[in-house]
Amino acid sequence: MMSIFTGRHSRAQAIVCAQVILCVLLTARALASEPGLSLEQTRTYALQSDPALVSQRQLEQAFRQDSAASRYWPNPKIALNAQNFPTDSWSFEQEPMTQIQLGISQMLPRGDSLDWQAKKQSLMAGLSHETQSLRMRELRRDVSLLWLEAARAQAAEQLTAEHLQHLQQQAAVLNRRYRNASGLNGSSGPQQQDLLRVELETQRIRERLLNLQQQYQAARQRLNEWLPPALASAPLQLNDEPLFQPSLAFATAMADDQTLAAILMQHPLWAQTDNRIASAAADIELARQEDKAQWGIQASYGYRGEDAMGHDRADFVSLGVSVDLPLFNGERNQRKVAASVRRREAEQTRQQLLLRQLFSAVRNDWAQYQLQQQRLEFYDQTLLPQINRQLQAVKNSYGQDRDDYNDVIRAVMERLNGDIERLNLLREWHKTAIRLEFYAPGFSSELPPVSAAQRQE
């Protein structure tokens, strides 16, 4: 049987509905804690399925094989010659100088060129290894940011969907009361503007929900690039947000340029520049080896047959040494050395620029991290409690006929907006922590998760 609510009974029922909406807002985060795909699982899948890492590992192995191969001398040459055969008879015994000659020759490398070539290939292998380390850091950072964006959109979508559902229920209740109260003279039931305001807020929330769904789908599709097909629709484990907080050692290092520089010099980007500088130095030494003489040794054995009288003839043995004359490569080699020196200086200049960029980036993120942390504390300690007090005051005032229902709806919407803004700020705070982890992963400590009770305070 349908009940007819009028006067204060109508307002009391409206307060009850507003309390239901508030309970939904407070418990939405707890609903998001269902088991799902955690951030660490996503990172693991991404690292296991990244083709770029596989390619760099193969390149590193190739360079190490080249380094080992570079230490070997060039192959010796063997020659078999038939020498001094007479053209009138082509007889092997007719002339004393006729012989079958077997020779071998070996060219020696210039100076220490083989060692420097092997060292350069080893440096290239080290550069590929550092590229792998950099790729792993970048992948962990980028996948974490995608995960955070999708998780934030999913949490906001769940929060908004629950709020929309109960607001629609509230609109249906108000419509029934309005129809019932309109037939009673002197009743103080809901007014038509209350119905219009509830309907307008419902449509606005529908539009916000569609926008959040669009954001979630966009972030999730990019995230699914790194996941197995079976996990393409797995829910995100929202209670496993990135729990990284810069340690005290990192915070202390921010005030000391030398300590911070020592931390940043452990970054793969810095190691890459070190490898490039060392590789350019190897090119200098290789160019200098061109000034060294290249020696060669030869040995041959000449077999001769018997003479026309049947007497044996002595065989011949020949030994020789050869060396090239650096008559035309003096200026050319000097220019090669000068070019290699300039390349090394260019890499050193890039390294100085890189350190400056790393300093700027990490200090900017550190400042943002601190400010975002302060804003979160402000939300939790000041703003959200004040919004709650305002909501409670409006509900009490409405129950005493001092405010209309629009004020209740407005206060409830402010609470929803406050929760979503805090969720957005929490996402940005964790994003900044992830970027700091990219620069100094060894200086991060775990941040204890925030409980649902703490978030509701």
Side-chain angles (χ1 to χ4, degrees):
M1 178 180 297
M2 180 181 297
S3 300
I4 300 176
F5 298 94
T6 59
R8 291 185 178 273
H9 296 287
S10 175
R11 296 181 181 275
Q13 188 68 15
I15 293 175
V16 171
C17 292
Q19 290 174 342
V20 171
I21 297 175
L22 180 60
C23 291
V24 172
L25 298 178
L26 296 178
T27 58
R29 295 182 185 272
L31 295 176
S33 61
E34 298 178 356
L37 183 65
S38 69
L39 174 65
E40 285 303 323
Q41 289 174 333
T42 305
R43 284 177 161 185
T44 301
Y45 285 125
L47 292 174
Q48 291 175 349
S49 62
D50 184 30
L53 282 177
V54 178
S55 175
Q56 287 298 327
R57 292 190 191 102
Q58 293 169 342
L59 282 177
E60 180 184 0
Q61 295 172 0
F63 283 126
R64 296 200 184 280
Q65 295 296 329
D66 286 337
S67 176
S70 298
R71 297 184 180 276
Y72 289 93
W73 285 8
N75 291 329
K77 297 180 180 179
I78 296 179
L80 181 63
N81 300 318
Q83 293 187 342
N84 304 320
F85 273 76
T87 58
D88 55 353
S89 64
W90 299 99
S91 174
F92 187 64
E93 292 85 7
Q94 176 180 333
E95 300 295 334
M97 296 304 296
T98 301
Q99 56 185 291
I100 301 297
Q101 189 180 69
L102 177 65
I104 183 171
S105 61
Q106 174 68 60
M107 297 302 296
L108 304 181
R110 296 181 184 273
D112 298 328
S113 59
L114 294 186
D115 292 337
W116 284 107
Q117 287 177 1
K119 184 176 181 179
K120 182 177 180 180
Q121 294 300 323
S122 180
L123 289 170
M124 295 302 295
L127 179 61
S128 181
H129 181 78
E130 296 301 334
T131 302
Q132 293 176 55
S133 300
L134 178 61
R135 175 62 180 175
M136 292 176 67
R137 288 202 192 189
E138 291 176 340
L139 194 58
R140 288 172 63 89
R141 178 197 62 189
D142 296 342
V143 169
S144 298
L145 295 179
L146 286 176
W147 189 96
L148 264 179
E149 189 63 33
R152 192 277 315 176
Q154 186 181 60
E157 180 184 346
Q158 292 173 350
L159 193 66
T160 306
E162 294 291 339
H163 184 75
L164 175 61
Q165 179 182 359
H166 287 79
L167 196 61
Q168 289 173 335
Q169 295 174 359
Q170 177 67 10
V173 171
L174 285 177
N175 272 291
R176 289 195 300 268
R177 294 176 189 159
Y178 178 77
R179 289 194 301 267
N180 295 332
S182 61
L184 300 176
N185 295 328
S187 66
S188 58
Q191 302 298 315
Q192 187 176 12
Q193 59 265 27
D194 295 338
L195 302 178
L196 294 176
R197 179 59 188 272
V198 171
E199 180 64 23
L200 177 60
E201 293 300 335
T202 301
Q203 298 303 327
R204 287 178 176 173
I205 293 180
R206 282 200 183 101
E207 192 280 331
R208 176 185 290 187
L209 184 61
L210 291 173
N211 184 33
L212 290 172
Q213 290 173 349
Q214 181 182 1
Q215 294 177 17
Y216 172 73
Q217 289 298 327
R220 190 58 190 261
Q221 290 302 322
R222 287 181 292 166
L223 184 64
N224 286 344
E225 177 185 352
W226 307 105
L227 299 176
L231 297 177
S233 59
L236 303 181
Q237 187 173 332
L238 297 179
N239 62 341
D240 190 23
E241 294 164 343
L243 307 178
F244 300 105
Q245 182 179 15
S247 65
L248 180 61
F250 184 82
T252 304
M254 296 301 300
D256 185 7
D257 289 349
Q258 293 183 351
T259 305
L260 182 59
I263 295 175
L264 296 177
M265 285 179 183
Q266 301 174 18
H267 199 277
L269 283 171
W270 182 271
Q272 282 184 333
T273 59
D274 274 343
N275 275 274
R276 292 192 182 100
I277 292 173
S279 180
D283 288 335
I284 296 174
E285 295 301 326
L286 280 172
R288 288 173 176 168
Q289 299 307 309
E290 295 293 328
D291 290 331
K292 304 292 180 64
Q294 185 173 21
W295 293 84
I297 55 176
Q298 302 87 29
S300 62
Y301 176 80
Y303 171 74
R304 295 196 301 167
E306 296 177 346
D307 59 13
M309 303 298 296
H311 299 142
D312 290 335
R313 292 173 175 168
D315 297 333
F316 292 154
V317 174
S318 301
L319 299 174
V321 177
S322 64
V323 61
D324 62 345
L325 298 177
L327 298 179
F328 307 108
N329 60 351
E331 184 177 356
R332 179 188 62 189
N333 290 346
Q334 290 177 3
R335 292 185 180 275
K336 285 185 177 181
V337 171
S340 299
V341 170
R342 295 296 180 268
R343 292 190 185 95
R344 183 185 62 182
E345 292 173 350
E347 292 296 338
Q348 291 172 339
T349 303
R350 288 196 189 100
Q351 189 178 59
Q352 296 174 1
L353 177 61
L354 173 64
L355 184 60
R356 185 182 304 176
Q357 292 172 341
L358 290 176
F359 261 93
S360 175
V362 74
R363 280 180 167 160
N364 176 67
D365 286 337
W366 174 245
Q368 294 298 320
Y369 180 88
Q370 292 177 305
L371 291 174
Q372 289 163 352
Q373 189 175 23
Q374 293 175 9
R375 289 182 61 194
L376 275 172
E377 293 174 355
F378 176 75
Y379 263 82
D380 292 337
Q381 299 174 7
T382 304
L383 189 57
L384 289 181
Q386 185 173 351
I387 291 175
N388 290 336
R389 289 192 296 269
Q390 179 186 3
L391 177 59
Q392 186 62 41
V394 170
K395 289 191 305 181
N396 295 335
S397 178
Y398 179 73
Q400 298 173 6
D401 292 335
R402 292 198 301 267
D403 286 318
D404 58 18
Y405 191 72
N406 287 339
D407 295 327
V408 178
I409 294 296
R410 188 181 300 109
V412 172
M413 292 299 299
E414 287 181 359
R415 175 58 196 264
L416 174 63
N417 293 334
D419 279 347
I420 292 181
E421 286 299 323
R422 185 192 183 279
L423 186 63
N424 294 337
L425 181 57
L426 184 65
R427 172 201 58 183
E428 295 302 321
W429 187 48
H430 284 304
K431 279 186 175 182
T432 307
I434 288 171
R435 288 193 293 268
L436 288 173
E437 182 199 15
F438 171 76
Y439 295 113
F443 288 83
S444 298
S445 59
E446 289 193 355
L447 176 68
V450 180
S451 64
Q454 291 174 327
R455 292 176 179 175
Q456 295 174 11
E457 291 178 355

